[in-house]
Amino acid sequence: MPLYFFRISHGRYTGASDQGSEFESREAAWSEMTKVCGNLLGSLSRSLKQNAEWQMELLDEAKKPVFRIRLVAESIN
């Protein structure tokens, strides 16, 4: 089974998991990523500053991005 890694970026912080997770398919990896992201977003959105960005990426075995979910807080005016 393919091995995937999660990476989270928030401001100057970027960190990737050292231990990979195996998923049967890209679809299964996407499903797990959305579950994990959904669990984190409630607390993240409450502490997100204006004009900030948070993102989670799912990386393949070569540590290349496969999927990305971004939360962007923009000041329009």
Side-chain angles (χ1 to χ4, degrees):
M1 282 194 287
L3 194 61
Y4 294 93
F5 300 86
F6 290 98
R7 177 168 55 199
I8 293 177
S9 301
H10 181 79
R12 295 182 189 180
Y13 169 80
T14 298
S17 57
D18 291 329
Q19 293 186 356
S21 300
E22 291 182 333
F23 298 104
E24 292 181 15
S25 65
R26 286 173 58 106
E27 292 76 22
W30 170 255
S31 179
E32 181 64 19
M33 182 180 180
T34 59
K35 287 177 192 173
V36 171
C37 190
N39 290 335
L40 295 173
L41 283 180
S43 61
L44 287 169
S45 63
R46 287 187 289 275
S47 63
L48 194 64
K49 306 284 188 234
Q50 291 181 30
N51 299 310
E53 180 179 333
W54 177 91
Q55 68 179 18
M56 176 184 276
E57 292 178 309
L58 190 70
L59 312 175
D60 64 13
E61 292 184 44
K63 303 271 178 118
K64 302 288 183 198
V66 177
F67 299 116
R68 179 180 298 130
I69 296 175
R70 296 174 55 211
L71 176 62
V72 178
E74 297 177 312
S75 177
I76 305 301
N77 294 324

